[in-house]
Amino acid sequence: MMRRRFLVLTGSGLIVPLAPMHPARATPVQVAALIAELVGDATLRDERVKLDLPVMVENGNSVGMTVSVDAALGDVRSIDVFAEGNPLPHVLRVRFGPRAGAPRIATRIRLATSQTVTAVAKLADGSCWRDRVDLLVTLAACID
Amino acid sequence: MIWRLAFATMLVLAAADKRSGYQDASPETRAMQDDDASNPGFLWVQQGETLWAERTGNAGRSCADCHASIRGVAARYPVFDARLGRPITLAQRIQQCRVERQGAGPLAPDSDALLGLTAYVGLQSRGMPIQVSIDGPARPFYEAGKALFETRQGQFNLSCAQCHDGLAGQRLAGSVIPQGHPNGYPEYRLEWQGMGSLERRIRNCMIGVRAEPFAADSPELADLELYLGWRANGLDVETPAVRP
Amino acid sequence: MVRVLISVPKRVKRGEAFDVKLLISHPMESGQRRDAMGEAIPRDIINSFVCTYNDDEVLRADLFPAIAANPFLSFAVTAEQSGTLTMTFIDDHGVVQTETASVTVE
């Protein structure tokens, strides 16, 4: 499980770990294409979706996230989340049934690097809404 | 160097300045620890609770058959074991019980089963202050642990004390350097994406400074844990803690 | 079988939303990592989750490798009468696991 890391000892006596070679990452263009496919002919508008994520992330291995939609439950067809800086950008898709108490989901996600995360909600009337969070993933100092 | 030593001494003297790693964690990480229903460490506690009640080994006995209450026990570990003539950690005590009293084989170090049992026992002391004794025969082992803590080692030639006494509260890359108190083990570490022991944490630190890590269950690790336990005296047990 | 922790309130009010929390012990191996020998570690995740209450669906989720290890899910449910929450999830090997929790409506 141990990955090889390169460590540099700076003059101040601090250890600065350098990240390993970056794995392949998705790009904003790829994510835009995925979202375009999801949205189809509808216009993607801000508002009505709330994506809660910390803007400063202590460890990208597990980042608490909540997505909620300001709409009646029956009107929400799906929620999708995309992380454009991850190797595989699609994070989650949720659909709600009649017994859901609110169009809301909370989970924990992986973020490979600092990036923009986008949540898209598709409503039954065909309208599509989104929220985006730009966040900074700080590198843990002492890594396994 | 002198200011670092002075700062280290100040830290050790002023118990009120002891900071749990909890205080240095982000609000999100703290929230994960605060709610048992969202603290992943409880997945291991659950396993430990099951194992605690399970009859096993040649003796066909469960932990619960002998131990009615273990409240406060984890807060006192490591303790000096008179028969072995040296300090013993909580995980080692659990292993000892398994082998000698249950007649079962020892669990693998850092296995989910051992972490689970240790976490379950640790949870019974949650919220209680750590009270590790270094009196009497434990004293020389405490001294040995303290010496290890203060010995420069590895290719980086760094001691534990240089970072966790001298530079605690400052930053190493993006993270706050904690004082390094062992008050939440076994703990769920986001970096590990799982539960791990204090031994694992110490070995990682040693790899970090490019030193040869002490072997699992080595006397050095028990001595170091005894020193760390004493150094954390008064801090509340947080097992199962969540750390970045 | 993986270990699961489900948290639901002991009692809930009729028709009023309540929160459910779920933890699953699973590595959610992303398929993006290599082991110490440089070999790719195969993907092994829980890819699908469905929650129902009695026979009605609460929600269903497709999970991708970006879901953190030891997945945590939390969502709201409404109940009109006492019953059983059923949570079913499927991993990459096709193994299906079902866990339940009972809910008392007052």
Side-chain angles (χ1 to χ4, degrees), chain C residues 1-35:
Chain C
M1 290 286 282
V2 297
R3 285 169 282 127
V4 177
L5 281 175
I6 299 174
S7 303
V8 294
K10 283 212 162 46
R11 292 169 185 286
V12 302
K13 293 215 165 72
R14 189 178 308 278
E16 212 168 272
F18 60 93
D19 275 355
V20 173
K21 290 175 186 169
L22 170 75
L23 280 165
I24 306 171
S25 68
H26 195 285
M28 295 297 278
E29 191 58 59
S30 67
Q32 302 296 305
R33 302 200 304 167
R34 290 178 182 276
D35 64 18

Side-chain angles (χ1 to χ4, degrees), chain A residues 7 15 58-59 61 108 144, chain B residues 29 38 172 190 192 210 244:
Chain A
L7 296 153
I15 306 161
E58 193 168 42
N59 190 308
N61 282 344
R108 294 179 187 138
D144 208 332
Chain B
T29 305
S38 66
L172 180 54
L190 304 186
W192 293 337
R210 289 286 192 266

Side-chain angles (χ1 to χ4, degrees), chain B residues 8 11-24 33 130 149 160 163-165 168-169 177-187 189 197-198 201-202 205 224-239 241-243:
Chain B
L11 272 180
V12 172
L13 292 179
D17 289 344
K18 281 183 194 175
R19 276 175 76 82
S20 165
Y22 175 87
Q23 292 167 274
D24 294 324
Q33 177 177 321
I130 292 180
F149 191 79
C160 312
C163 281
H164 296 291
D165 280 345
I177 302 171
Q179 291 179 3
H181 292 301
N183 57 322
Y185 287 94
E187 70 184 21
R189 212 171 163 73
S197 64
L198 173 58
R201 179 65 260 189
I202 292 171
C205 257
L224 196 49
E225 288 193 32
L226 178 69
Y227 172 69
L228 287 171
W230 170 84
R231 184 172 166 272
N233 270 347
L235 282 178
D236 284 351
V237 174
E238 294 177 19
T239 308
V242 180
R243 298 285 186 266

Side-chain angles (χ1 to χ4, degrees), chain B residues 35 37-39 42-44 46-47 188 193, chain C residues 3-5 7 21 23-25 69-70 72:
Chain B
D35 175 16
S38 66
N39 177 346
F42 274 85
L43 288 165
W44 278 262
Q46 178 198 43
Q47 183 180 8
Y188 190 88
Q193 306 189 56
Chain C
R3 285 169 282 127
V4 177
L5 281 175
S7 303
K21 290 175 186 169
L23 280 165
I24 306 171
S25 68
N70 301 304
F72 170 78

Side-chain angles (χ1 to χ4, degrees), chain B residues 39-156:
Chain B
N39 177 346
F42 274 85
L43 288 165
W44 278 262
V45 169
Q46 178 198 43
Q47 183 180 8
E49 189 173 8
T50 306
L51 291 171
W52 185 261
E54 196 175 273
R55 297 208 157 95
T56 186
N58 294 332
R61 258 197 303 240
S62 72
C63 309
D65 285 340
C66 291
H67 301 278
S69 168
I70 41 164
R71 190 164 159 70
V73 169
R76 296 194 293 271
Y77 271 79
V79 298
F80 183 80
D81 184 290
R83 193 160 52 83
L84 294 178
R86 54 166 302 105
I88 184 171
T89 66
L90 182 58
Q92 287 169 335
R93 175 69 83 208
I94 289 169
Q95 297 279 46
Q96 192 187 58
C97 255
R98 269 186 75 83
V99 173
E100 295 180 9
R101 317 242 179 255
Q102 292 180 303
L107 299 165
D110 270 308
S111 59
D112 285 339
L114 183 57
L115 290 167
L117 272 170
T118 316
Y120 177 71
V121 173
L123 177 66
Q124 315 305 315
S125 297
R126 187 166 65 166
M128 301 173 79
I130 292 180
Q131 287 177 301
V132 168
S133 167
I134 54 164
D135 295 340
R139 188 82 198 186
F141 300 95
Y142 154 84
E143 299 288 356
K146 184 171 189 288
L148 286 172
F149 191 79
E150 290 166 356
T151 302
R152 286 168 171 265
Q153 51 182 317
Q155 290 176 330
F156 289 170

Side-chain angles (χ1 to χ4, degrees), chain C residues 11-12 14 53-54 79-84 102-106:
Chain C
R11 292 169 185 286
V12 302
R14 189 178 308 278
Y53 186 67
N54 293 338
E80 298 298 331
Q81 57 202 0
S82 298
T84 305
S102 52
V103 174
T104 305
V105 171
E106 43 182 37

